[in-house]
Amino acid sequence: MQGRNGLPVCVKNMSDNGKEKEQVTLTIDGKEISVDKGTTVLDAATLMGIHIPTFCWHPKLDSIGACRMCLVDVEKFPKPAVACATEAMPGMIVRTDTDEIVKARRGVLEFMLLNHPLDCPTCDKGGECDLQDNVFHYGIDKSRQAFTRRRVIDDQTTDAFDDKRIGPEIIRNMNRCVTCYKCIRFNKEIAGEYDLGAYERGNHTVIDAAPGEQIDNFYSGNVVEICPVGALTNTDWRYKIRNWKAKQTLSLCSHDADGQNIMLWHDQRQLWRATSRRNDDIDDGWICNIARYGYQYINSPDRLKTPLIKKEGKQVPASWDEAISLISKRFKEIKDSKGSVCLAGLIGGNQSVETAYLFNKFFRNKLHTNNLDYRLEYIDLKGSDETEAYNCLYRAPFTIADLEQADVVFVFGSNFIKDHPAINLRLRKAYRKFGTKVYTANPVETKSADISLDEMIYSPDTETAFIAGLIHAIIDNKYYKNIDETKAAEVKTMLAPATLDEAARLCGIEQERIVNLAKVLSEANNPYILAGDYFVASAKRHRTANGMYDLANLLGIKDSNAIILASQANSMGADRVGVRPRLTENLKKTLIDKWGEELPESPGSNTSQILNNSLDEEIDGLFILGANPAMRYPDGPFVNSALDKLDFLVVADLFETATSAKADVVLPLAGWAEQSGAYVNVEGRYQKFEKAQDADKGIKSGIEIIHSIARAMDLSLNLDNAALMHETKDIVDAFEREARDEAKFFEVKQAQIPEHDNYPYRLLVGNDIHHFGYVTEHCPSLMRFTPEPYLEISPNLAEKLGIDEETLVRIESTTGKLVLKARFSEYFEGDVLFIPNNFSATEVTGLVSREGGGWVKIEKLDDK
Amino acid sequence: MEQVFLKYIDDPNQHKIDTYIEHGGYQAIQKVFKEYQPTEVIDTVKASGVRGRGGAGFPAGLKWSFVPQNTGKPIYLACNGDESEPGTCKDRVIMENNPHLIIEGIMICCYAINAHHAFIYIRGEFAHPAARVEAAINEAYAKGYLGKNIFGTGFDLDIIVHTGGGAYICGEETSLLSSIEGSRGNARIRPPFPAVEGLYKCPTVINNVETLSSLPSIFNNGVEWYRSHGTEKSPGTKIFSLSGNVNKPGNYEVDLGTPLSYVINDLGGGIQNGHKLKAIIPGGSSTPLLMPDQIDTPLDYEAVAEAGSMLGSGAIIVIDERSCMVWVLMKLINFYAHESCGRCTPCREGTAWLKQLINRIENGDGQPGDIELILDVCDNIMGRTICPLGDAAVMPVRSFIQHFRDEFEYHIEHKKCKVETDYPFV
Amino acid sequence: MLKTFWDIIKTTVIALPIGLYTTFKHVFKKPVTKKYPKAKSEMMPRYRGLHYLERYDDGTERCVCCGLCAAACPADAIYMEPDENEKGERFAKVYEINMIRCIFCGFCEEACPEEAIFLGHEFELANDNRDGFIYSKDDMLVEHPRKDRPYKTIYRRTRRHSM
């Protein structure tokens, strides 16, 4: 944007593969400037510091020249030209300050004000309104319009404001609209959604939701931010505070792993809103609804305010001193009597990287145990975690911005719009502007189908077979690079199923399509393979990761271009500072250097092993910081019984959760906006966020809690906040990953799909598109989008089983049962079902077993 | 006078393909295939000097030569049959009476620019002409004159008829392309020009129905024959749609350069009931007025421009002394305000404001200073819009006020028309 | 300089009664002192005293909590929180002026776009604790719209349609 938020305008042109662009020299207002070929006059003027006002221009949208505000006088042009769409030509002479141009701008403003209501006192946009600013600058104070203003009257019971709610979070006042079309252009061009449109024409143009629809797409909050006037406003900012009264703080989205940059607005110890803080390397200025509304849980009245201690089976409020001394006493007891191998720590993926590092240091260096993990949402099977292929691909040096240079992108096992909203928009930009070819392979149909050249739907749990088939196709047709025939034949023997035919049959995709994908990937100059949450959540993902590794090597894909994308805000950060049982050699050395001591020798357990060991009573003390495995980890009953068996469980969290209900000590935790720190995003990029406000008295941050416990146990960690930040940054920077070995190939064997005769439908469990994890339940805006859980079912299957929309359905698996309302899916076509796991009142993980995922049977519940 | 478009206007079967062939149809295209290369066709059209008949008068051959042939993208032709300029009804008569003439013209143009898909955009209100054109196309397909390998030459050509939804703005070339693509008919900024990036971002040529219909006669009879009609800079014949206070309104095809007086008095039978002529709109409502002392102006692009107006689409509207000019202007500005597409601010808000002001003057509520305000608003619209609709709205307003300011001032002062009349439509 | 005996007489015996006479004259003149608090004087029309929040003729509050008075206040004395009432209109849920900070300059009255806040003639604001100086909306909102007074004409008597 043009200098809003005090940030400099960024005029990067990303389309040229880094080549040197031709330079063009032109003169603006008497001063010469040299710019890249293809730059517009508007961008050239901005680079020179000359401000040309605009309404309908946006740096990331195609210019349409609709508002006519940026008219400039170009010599030799018969009439003024729009600076936002006129390409700078060599020798052009431009003037932006002639009398005619000033008159033109005043004319345009006068036209806009003709029917614009005098709403400034009640309009939320006051103080940040382009129209207000420009009118003030050009000094138009007398109206020559003597007619009743045109009023767009809606079907409201009260016509006091003509404010119409056109979406769960968006309120539209058509009288204020200056018809710049930015909202529609964003929706159509960037997000690929069509729920907002223009109706009628001329002076009576109305911007509205499609008939019968609401604006509830995942990026809908952005239309409010780019509206230059107060025509579209957010419900969560409505009548709350004036923008000049609120303070702004740099921050990051604390939910998904893309690391979208946001600006938090706050005042009086209350967060008021989040807006985007444009970062061209990651989010391009567009943030998803979860990033935009997902701060509200910090304000929630349900936050834990005091520590709780379980006394006689009930949790009662207690003081911090009492809680900390109890924790230190019990931990010491367990350590001294049974050994530190009986202590374990689990930390959530949205805790800052400093918290994660301190957690690591406390458990490894002071409590001498390697039982640490941060992966609490999916299973790591015993003995198969930490494989070389998986780790190598997980840590690939991927860059979001470089995705624009890709010519073929293969998205594998990901509902991209849900898992990685910023990367999704970047992929759509590559498709739209640079002609990138996209192929997707998923267990269900997703929105990406609208840009995908071939959307392949494989049968559930057959990802490994699919990859094996792809490798077969490459080897059979000699699409491989960098290896010889004997090596290729050797690789072929490492695959199961053993032929392309078998693989295609198993995963349910026609051979021709697999061969075609192999061909396209092999002919590409800069292909990418991106794997996401369906991949990561699958229990057999290490087998598939082997396949992806082999695939990348066979096709000669660059090291940075094949990646398994992390899922949480600080997953990569926790990985880099070593919150996991097994560390890379390099990281071990760094930690030993920093701490001056050897690391504990015990092998260490990951989440799954910790829970298993808890059930077997081999682990007695567990500290869970900012995580909720009882609700989110697969197989709820197993997790619950494991936690019950623990001798001593400490849970530190923002809210009371299913996990905290089992704890012996519950500590109130500060949220990310109440401390400063950093996250490491999916690219491995270290990004800082600042503290927006102090936590309420009685709530402490994770760092403070760990320090308190360490002090109470006489194990001082000797790190003040500044030193902690430095040390953490050093460790993150020092992290080295082994590059993918082009000569190495792993075996790719499809695991057997378990018997599920009576349970014919595969259930996928994950986040609803407007929720993330377990905290967004406390965000009122996100709850307006999706207030309750549902069973997502394809219309075909529903018709077969006689299920109507909104009817109750009983879902049963071998481990549990549930009753939910059915909802027809926009995308699903087959026999796969989906239930969102974001609502604490509905325990979903009971349906998902630890061995083979969730196979269920469903039946309609008759109304009694 | 020798006619090209209306030659067979009296034959009720001219729209059928057999009659058309009988009357010498589909000979020019076969001649072109046999004897001309595409570039030679363009040169011939350039040499003949035929100018676009949609209103702008841009030389057709020159427009075709702007199309780049080497982009790898398909080239399209869009035939503009969205005839909505008030007063104009010339394309309609070609579409109803002689649709094969259009088809043959399209074939010639497509061969010249190497286009294999052509679209005929017909306004939605023209149900009957569109039906005639579609029937003619089906006949051509049946005879192998359209589709794959037309006339056995190996050239493929498909013509698609696209009917509009009722918008004057879709007669503007970029809005027409938007409409064919399925979007709202909003104008697009130029550059990039349609010849380089038009329909579906491919090079596109847009020509009026009448322009394309003149091509067969050029190739049948030769460039000299074509240049023998009309003037040096404006060769050929044109249909003028005569309407207003004349005895015989209708479509008349004459050579360009014919004096206006001939068309109005001789062909049109003069003013009704012997009333006095007050003003003439020479080229559709978007053009400035001509006064009675300019009645001998020759009807060609240069002479009319010299007289202070534009030849435009050739719709001559004759206004006699019975009409109040404020009322006439009100009717015109109501049209433009209704038809504005709403994309750019000056046209969208400005035409609506002009409508309010002029209506107010006509209804007797005019305030002193309104005329200056109207002219100021016109200054803010003219030249500041994306497409010429803004200019088209402003030019009659300025022209009416320039020539008949006294009538406006009378309205403001006396709150009624200066012209005392029992004309039924006031 | 006292030169002669006559000078001494002039300056003492004769001057004294003249001075005392001037004093004595005022014994019988009416004093200009007002017997405050029993008698209070009327303030000048443009006197800036305690604020009051006006209503429209039909009784609705004028203040829409736009924040301009707080923005204009040079002493940062005004605090407000907006909210939406049943009719969907914006109004001030919380409106407070800290009278210790307030310098009674009248900028808030000039800035208000709704002619909602005026400075009246009330000046007896003394209090014995600091908290008593935070005047809330209840303290300042008038019960009925006040009539026009000279120099404080109200230009709009009904609510704007769009708000």
Side-chain angles (χ1 to χ4, degrees):
Chain A
M1 310 282 251
Q2 293 186 54
R4 288 217 179 268
N5 293 341
L7 292 171
V9 178
C10 191
V11 190
K12 262 205 283 208
N13 191 332
M14 312 276 292
S15 65
D16 52 350
N17 289 338
K19 286 196 296 278
E20 264 296 309
K21 289 194 95 175
E22 219 182 296
Q23 294 283 302
V24 162
T25 311
L26 69 155
T27 314
I28 305 182
D29 285 350
K31 292 202 282 262
E32 258 194 23
I33 181 173
S34 253
V35 290
D36 289 340
K37 189 165 191 295
T39 313
T40 57
V41 172
L42 179 65
D43 288 339
T46 316
L47 281 171
M48 290 168 70
I50 298 175
H51 174 72
I52 300 181
T54 59
F55 281 96
C56 71
W57 172 83
H58 191 278
K60 302 289 172 181
L61 296 172
D62 293 338
S63 299
I64 58 167
C67 66
R68 314 307 281 179
M69 193 66 187
C70 62
L71 291 171
V72 290
D73 193 43
V74 182
E75 225 179 72
K76 298 205 193 98
F77 277 35
K79 47 185 193 169
V82 281
C84 64
T86 308
E87 197 179 312
M89 291 296 181
M92 221 181 207
I93 301 178
V94 176
R95 288 221 72 92
T96 70
D97 51 5
T98 61
D99 285 339
E100 194 202 335
I101 296 297
V102 173
K103 181 165 191 290
R105 290 180 190 167
R106 295 188 64 157
V108 169
L109 287 172
E110 185 177 23
F111 284 138
M112 283 183 179
L113 290 173
L114 280 183
N115 288 303
H116 197 88
L118 296 172
D119 276 354
C120 292
T122 55
C123 176
D124 286 314
K125 199 83 180 178
E128 46 186 22
C129 173
D130 279 351
L131 188 61
Q132 247 185 7
D133 295 343
N134 278 313
V135 169
F136 205 67
H137 180 82
Y138 286 99
I140 298 165
D141 50 1
K142 278 206 119 47
S143 171
R144 297 191 288 183
Q145 138 96 317
F147 302 95
T148 325
R149 289 170 182 219
R150 171 205 75 210
R151 282 188 66 224
V152 176
I153 298 176
D154 292 311
D155 50 356
Q156 292 271 86
T157 48
T158 161
D159 63 352
F161 297 106
D162 301 311
D163 284 342
K164 180 176 173 186
R165 187 174 292 256
I166 56 174
E169 272 297 302
I170 301 184
I171 299 172
R172 178 211 72 184
N173 187 317
M174 194 57 214
N175 298 310
R176 299 179 193 160
C177 177
V178 290
T179 339
C180 67
Y181 296 95
K182 277 208 292 218
C183 50
I184 299 173
R185 283 151 61 204
F186 162 76
N187 236 19
K188 194 165 77 161
E189 283 174 33
I190 310 280
E193 305 275 355
Y194 294 89
D195 47 9
L196 188 64
Y199 300 86
E200 310 291 329
R201 66 162 181 240
N203 210 26
H204 297 280
T205 310
V206 174
I207 312 266
D208 204 351
E213 303 240 332
Q214 295 241 293
I215 316 280
D216 55 4
N217 71 66
F218 190 43
Y219 299 98
S220 50
N222 288 300
V223 303
V224 173
E225 212 181 304
I226 57 175
C227 181
V229 295
L232 292 171
T233 47
N234 254 336
T235 309
D236 85 327
W237 180 250
R238 183 172 172 80
Y239 298 169
K240 293 279 167 31
I241 189 174
R242 282 292 179 200
N243 76 313
W244 62 78
K245 277 222 143 341
K247 303 181 201 30
Q248 298 174 43
T249 304
L250 308 178
S251 189
L252 303 168
C253 172
S254 67
H255 299 282
D256 63 77
D258 290 347
Q260 294 166 83
N261 290 175
I262 60 173
M263 186 75 86
L264 283 176
W265 300 64
H266 56 95
D267 188 52
Q268 306 274 331
R269 269 244 222 107
Q270 176 92 317
L271 293 178
W272 293 111
R273 76 172 171 184
T275 54
S276 105
R277 172 168 61 97
R278 185 176 130 196
N279 186 334
D280 283 339
D281 292 325
I282 298 174
D283 54 40
D284 246 3
W286 313 118
I287 55 174
C288 67
N289 276 0
I290 292 183
R292 189 177 295 278
Y293 304 121
Y295 69 88
Q296 291 169 349
Y297 67 91
I298 303 282
N299 295 338
S300 168
D302 299 329
R303 298 263 313 258
L304 269 173
K305 299 215 174 41
T306 65
L308 303 171
I309 296 185
K310 193 182 267 186
K311 294 188 182 153
E312 286 150 20
K314 261 181 51 163
Q315 287 177 336
V316 293
S319 71
W320 274 97
D321 287 333
E322 221 183 308
I324 297 289
S325 63
L326 178 62
I327 296 172
S328 70
K329 185 174 102 185
R330 291 303 306 275
F331 271 6
K332 244 197 230 153
E333 268 172 30
I334 294 172
K335 181 162 179 249
D336 291 337
S337 62
K338 303 222 184 124
S340 17
V341 76
C342 293
L343 290 171
L346 294 174
I347 187 171
N350 65 350
Q351 296 302 305
S352 73
V353 71
E354 286 78 19
T355 315
Y357 174 66
L358 198 65
F359 194 76
N360 185 18
K361 182 162 185 194
F362 177 58
F363 273 86
R364 279 212 154 89
N365 192 231
K366 301 295 168 189
L367 294 181
H368 300 296
T369 171
N370 284 324
N371 299 338
L372 290 174
D373 212 339
Y374 67 92
R375 295 161 293 186
L376 286 148
E377 310 237 326
Y378 41 83
I379 308 157
D380 264 314
L381 292 183
K382 211 186 256 210
S384 71
D385 73 325
E386 323 275 337
T387 56
E388 192 182 330
Y390 189 91
N391 284 338
C392 174
L393 292 170
Y394 187 67
R395 299 172 181 143
F398 169 73
T399 331
I400 298 178
D402 287 342
L403 199 54
E404 291 176 20
Q405 325 278 9
D407 52 357
V408 174
V409 175
F410 174 39
V411 175
F412 182 44
S414 177
N415 187 349
F416 233 34
I417 188 174
K418 247 197 248 190
D419 306 336
H420 298 280
I423 308 182
N424 175 49
L425 285 185
R426 196 63 72 139
L427 185 63
R428 295 190 81 94
K429 181 178 177 186
Y431 163 81
R432 187 183 83 248
K433 277 197 148 162
F434 309 124
T436 305
K437 300 208 216 2
V438 179
Y439 290 83
T440 55
N442 285 317
V444 275
E445 293 79 359
T446 64
K447 181 164 166 68
S448 308
D450 61 353
I451 58 169
S452 169
L453 283 172
D454 191 5
E455 190 193 31
M456 290 167 271
I457 308 294
Y458 52 78
S459 309
D461 293 335
T462 58
E463 297 99 12
T464 324
F466 174 74
I467 284 272
L470 201 48
I471 299 177
H472 277 301
I474 293 176
I475 295 177
D476 293 343
N477 295 301
K478 300 209 184 354
Y479 291 142
Y480 45 79
K481 310 183 178 161
N482 309 332
I483 59 168
D484 58 11
E485 268 190 54
T486 21
K487 185 71 181 177
E490 197 187 313
V491 174
K492 203 169 159 78
T493 59
M494 297 202 273
L495 308 172
T499 60
L500 171 57
D501 198 42
E502 265 179 63
R505 241 181 306 121
L506 189 60
C507 64
I509 300 179
E510 296 87 337
Q511 273 191 53
E512 301 80 46
R513 292 163 84 181
I514 300 181
V515 172
N516 180 45
L517 174 60
K519 179 161 182 286
V520 170
L521 283 171
S522 73
E523 288 171 357
N525 284 327
N526 194 12
Y528 273 74
I529 305 182
L530 308 173
D533 269 18
Y534 289 136
F535 185 108
V536 169
S538 128
K540 311 291 187 286
R541 62 174 179 269
H542 299 106
R543 298 165 182 256
T544 327
N546 283 354
M548 206 168 130
Y549 194 98
D550 293 349
L551 191 67
N553 278 344
L554 285 172
L555 293 168
I557 295 184
K558 281 205 287 234
D559 202 18
S560 59
N561 291 9
I563 179 169
I564 299 174
L565 296 161
S567 40
Q568 298 215 292
N570 195 41
S571 298
M572 296 302 278
D575 183 52
R576 283 184 191 211
V577 298
V579 185
R580 51 196 299 156
R582 279 162 276 288
L583 307 173
T584 59
E585 288 309 315
N586 158 269
L587 182 56
K588 273 197 201 146
K589 235 196 296 166
T590 320
L591 291 177
I592 293 172
D593 281 338
K594 275 276 189 274
W595 298 342
E597 278 175 32
E598 287 296 319
L599 299 176
E601 276 173 18
S602 55
S605 311
N606 61 23
T607 311
S608 155
Q609 291 162 331
I610 290 175
L611 290 171
N612 270 309
N613 290 344
S614 306
L615 196 59
D616 296 336
E617 301 201 30
E618 283 171 34
I619 284 187
D620 296 307
L622 181 57
F623 182 14
I624 302 183
L625 184 65
N628 192 359
M631 180 177 158
R632 303 283 297 171
Y633 196 78
D635 199 345
F638 158 72
V639 177
N640 281 316
S641 40
L643 294 177
D644 281 331
K645 278 279 171 61
L646 280 168
D647 276 351
F648 188 65
L649 174 62
V650 183
V651 172
D653 212 333
L654 284 90
F655 302 99
E656 286 191 56
T657 61
T659 313
S660 77
K662 304 203 172 297
D664 295 293
V665 182
V666 182
L667 301 172
L669 186 64
W672 107 104
E674 293 161 336
Q675 51 185 302
S676 62
Y679 285 143
V680 179
N681 79 345
V682 72
E683 301 168 308
R685 185 192 297 259
Y686 177 91
Q687 296 190 105
K688 280 211 202 139
F689 57 86
E690 309 275 323
K691 179 173 173 177
Q693 59 189 39
D694 289 323
D696 281 346
K697 212 158 158 208
I699 298 180
K700 293 195 198 285
S701 72
I703 294 174
E704 287 173 336
I705 292 175
I706 298 173
H707 274 304
S708 318
I709 301 177
R711 265 197 299 270
M713 292 174 77
D714 288 325
L715 299 167
S716 168
L717 286 158
N718 265 331
L719 276 177
D720 64 8
N721 280 346
L724 176 61
M725 283 212 88
H726 275 122
E727 202 167 303
T728 312
K729 180 112 200 324
D730 287 340
I731 303 232
V732 170
D733 286 340
F735 184 87
E736 258 174 46
R737 152 201 176 265
E738 274 172 32
R740 181 160 28 97
D741 189 342
E742 285 173 8
K744 224 183 208 167
F745 292 91
F746 297 97
E747 60 174 26
V748 184
K749 297 221 178 330
Q750 161 72 30
Q752 208 181 14
I753 299 168
E755 289 298 313
H756 56 92
D757 290 326
N758 293 337
Y759 301 92
Y761 308 114
R762 179 66 154 90
L763 175 68
L764 296 172
V765 168
N767 290 323
D768 173 74
I769 192 169
H770 270 113
H771 284 285
F772 195 95
Y774 60 97
V775 292
T776 53
E777 203 183 7
H778 301 273
C779 300
S781 296
L782 295 175
M783 287 300 274
R784 268 194 278 269
F785 284 97
T786 309
E788 53 181 13
Y790 51 86
L791 172 72
E792 191 173 350
I793 185 172
S794 75
N796 303 335
L797 183 59
E799 203 184 312
K800 241 196 303 178
L801 299 172
I803 296 175
D804 294 318
E805 190 135 22
E806 300 284 311
T807 48
L808 291 172
V809 177
R810 176 192 284 122
I811 309 120
E812 210 175 306
S813 81
T814 49
T815 44
K817 54 165 97 78
L818 198 55
V819 172
L820 284 174
K821 271 201 206 142
R823 186 199 276 197
F824 284 10
S825 174
E826 262 182 76
Y827 303 107
F828 292 4
E829 285 173 27
D831 290 351
V832 178
L833 308 166
F834 173 78
I835 298 179
N837 186 16
N838 305 104
F839 300 91
S840 54
T842 313
E843 201 201 81
V844 181
T845 51
L847 293 172
V848 182
S849 86
R850 279 172 299 141
E851 292 314 312
W855 289 93
V856 299
K857 64 174 176 193
I858 61 178
E859 63 180 358
K860 183 168 146 178
L861 204 61
D862 295 314
D863 304 301
K864 298 267 181 342
Chain B
M1 210 173 272
E2 199 174 352
Q3 310 225 306
V4 170
F5 311 110
L6 301 182
K7 193 163 179 181
Y8 299 103
I9 189 76
D10 297 318
D11 189 339
N13 290 323
Q14 174 65 8
H15 62 276
K16 300 210 178 93
I17 195 167
D18 297 317
T19 322
Y20 180 72
I21 294 178
E22 236 178 74
H23 286 148
Y26 288 119
Q27 296 303 313
I29 182 64
Q30 301 193 57
K31 186 167 169 191
V32 163
F33 273 130
K34 265 208 259 321
E35 299 170 22
Y36 289 82
Q37 290 296 311
T39 42
E40 289 171 356
V41 175
I42 300 181
D43 289 335
T44 313
V45 171
K46 266 196 203 162
S48 72
V50 60
R51 292 170 74 147
R53 297 286 197 252
F58 193 80
L62 194 57
K63 189 189 266 194
W64 298 1
S65 67
F66 288 150
V67 173
Q69 292 287 341
N70 53 359
T71 55
K73 293 196 243 185
I75 301 175
Y76 296 112
L77 169 68
C79 171
N80 189 346
D82 183 280
E83 179 179 55
S84 309
E85 181 81 25
T88 319
C89 47
K90 60 176 174 73
D91 297 330
R92 175 206 192 116
V93 72
I94 305 178
M95 286 194 258
E96 278 184 344
N97 171 257
N98 209 348
H100 285 282
L101 191 60
I102 311 173
I103 297 173
E104 194 175 352
I106 290 178
M107 289 175 182
I108 297 175
C109 178
C110 286
Y111 177 69
I113 60 174
N114 192 26
H116 299 281
H117 277 89
F119 296 84
I120 306 184
Y121 189 93
I122 304 182
R123 70 182 282 195
E125 292 91 332
F126 277 179
H128 186 235
R132 282 269 170 100
V133 171
E134 286 218 34
I137 290 178
N138 290 336
E139 289 179 329
Y141 267 103
K143 267 210 146 67
Y145 292 174
L146 283 176
K148 298 240 175 289
N149 192 11
I150 62 176
F151 295 101
T153 56
F155 189 81
D156 301 334
L157 179 59
D158 281 306
I159 301 185
I160 298 144
V161 169
H162 184 109
T163 41
Y168 167 60
I169 186 62
C170 286
E172 195 271 324
E173 54 178 16
T174 54
S175 306
L176 189 145
L177 299 177
S178 288
S179 181
I180 295 179
E181 288 175 6
S183 308
R184 283 163 64 84
N186 278 351
R188 300 183 201 163
I189 45 172
R190 282 159 290 185
F193 288 92
V196 173
E197 235 179 73
L199 196 57
Y200 306 117
K201 297 247 190 295
C202 301
T204 313
V205 164
I206 299 125
N207 273 134
N208 185 262
V209 158
E210 202 185 348
T211 319
L212 292 169
S213 305
S214 42
L215 297 174
S217 60
I218 297 177
F219 287 92
N220 272 330
N221 306 323
V223 170
E224 275 82 45
W225 171 89
Y226 190 77
R227 291 212 84 106
S228 71
H229 297 277
T231 66
E232 166 85 39
K233 290 226 180 95
S234 309
T237 61
K238 184 162 180 24
I239 305 179
F240 289 95
S241 309
L242 183 62
S243 64
N245 297 121
V246 290
N247 281 316
K248 287 196 284 177
N251 283 318
Y252 298 103
E253 183 179 351
V254 293
D255 284 356
L256 280 170
T258 313
L260 184 56
S261 51
Y262 178 76
V263 176
I264 295 181
N265 295 327
D266 293 86
L267 293 176
I271 315 286
Q272 289 163 343
N273 291 341
H275 286 288
K276 231 169 44 149
L277 178 64
K278 193 167 184 185
I280 310 146
I281 301 180
S285 67
S286 312
T287 54
L289 294 169
L290 289 178
M291 301 311 289
D293 56 352
Q294 296 169 302
I295 194 161
D296 289 311
T297 315
L299 284 170
D300 64 72
Y301 294 93
E302 284 67 39
V304 178
E306 230 184 272
S309 183
M310 282 166 46
L311 187 64
S313 60
I316 304 173
I317 305 173
V318 175
I319 306 170
D320 74 10
E321 61 187 347
R322 295 176 287 170
S323 298
C324 167
M325 295 313 272
V326 180
W327 180 88
V328 175
L329 183 61
M330 180 186 78
K331 291 286 171 195
L332 294 181
I333 196 62
N334 286 353
F335 171 77
Y336 288 109
H338 186 248
E339 296 291 339
S340 167
C341 80
R343 171 138 282 184
C344 66
T345 311
C347 174
R348 177 181 74 238
E349 310 286 348
T351 50
W353 195 10
L354 285 176
K355 171 178 164 174
Q356 283 174 321
L357 288 166
I358 294 170
N359 274 278
R360 171 164 94 173
I361 295 179
E362 167 65 17
N363 293 333
D365 294 324
Q367 306 296 318
D370 269 359
I371 300 178
E372 286 74 27
L373 181 58
I374 291 175
L375 290 174
D376 197 42
V377 173
C378 290
D379 283 340
N380 275 336
I381 301 176
M382 187 81 178
R384 308 267 170 83
T385 54
I386 297 179
C387 80
L389 192 145
D391 303 341
V394 159
M395 282 197 286
V397 173
R398 278 186 177 163
S399 169
F400 274 59
I401 292 182
Q402 180 194 354
H403 292 292
F404 295 99
R405 196 182 180 113
D406 53 317
E407 289 204 31
F408 287 84
E409 284 171 353
Y410 191 91
H411 256 278
I412 293 176
E413 219 184 292
H414 301 272
K415 314 222 180 292
K416 61 185 173 86
C417 292
K418 192 172 179 189
V419 173
E420 304 280 345
T421 175
D422 54 356
Y423 195 38
F425 293 124
V426 177
Chain C
M1 259 306 274
L2 296 175
K3 280 229 174 103
T4 63
F5 181 68
W6 176 238
D7 282 326
I8 298 172
I9 298 290
K10 218 167 41 175
T11 56
T12 55
V13 178
I14 302 182
L16 219 51
I18 296 175
L20 282 174
Y21 166 70
T22 314
T23 313
F24 193 63
K25 212 167 54 182
H26 280 85
V27 171
F28 296 101
K29 270 215 179 118
K30 199 160 174 329
V32 290
T33 322
K34 275 216 149 93
K35 286 203 166 107
Y36 184 84
K38 294 207 191 81
K40 300 192 197 185
S41 57
E42 191 69 24
M43 290 296 124
M44 286 289 127
R46 281 188 268 205
Y47 179 77
R48 297 193 297 271
L50 182 67
H51 316 71
Y52 63 92
L53 294 170
E54 259 286 19
R55 292 180 184 269
Y56 284 106
D57 282 352
D58 63 358
T60 44
E61 293 169 29
R62 278 180 173 265
C63 174
V64 289
C65 201
C66 66
L68 291 185
C69 55
C73 177
D76 198 17
I78 304 182
Y79 173 76
M80 65 183 72
E81 284 177 16
D83 203 358
E84 198 169 347
N85 67 13
E86 309 85 41
K87 282 200 270 172
E89 297 168 351
R90 181 176 172 138
F91 76 106
K93 183 171 67 179
V94 171
Y95 189 91
E96 290 172 356
I97 302 186
N98 183 344
M99 291 303 168
I100 299 185
R101 283 200 186 184
C102 177
I103 63 173
F104 297 91
C105 59
F107 281 6
C108 52
E109 181 181 327
E110 289 174 24
C112 181
E114 303 301 319
E115 297 173 300
I117 187 167
F118 294 96
L119 272 74
H121 287 189
E122 178 74 37
F123 56 87
E124 292 164 331
L125 306 179
N127 207 320
D128 57 358
N129 68 350
R130 283 187 163 257
D131 288 338
F133 281 98
I134 310 283
Y135 278 62
S136 71
K137 195 164 102 159
D138 298 326
D139 300 327
M140 294 188 285
L141 184 60
V142 300
E143 297 210 1
H144 306 285
R146 292 192 187 178
K147 296 204 179 51
D148 268 343
R149 285 177 294 169
Y151 302 113
K152 294 230 190 193
T153 332
I154 301 222
Y155 290 94
R156 254 186 325 108
R157 303 221 69 108
T158 52
R159 194 163 195 135
R160 253 205 289 270
H161 198 141
S162 66
M163 299 162 51

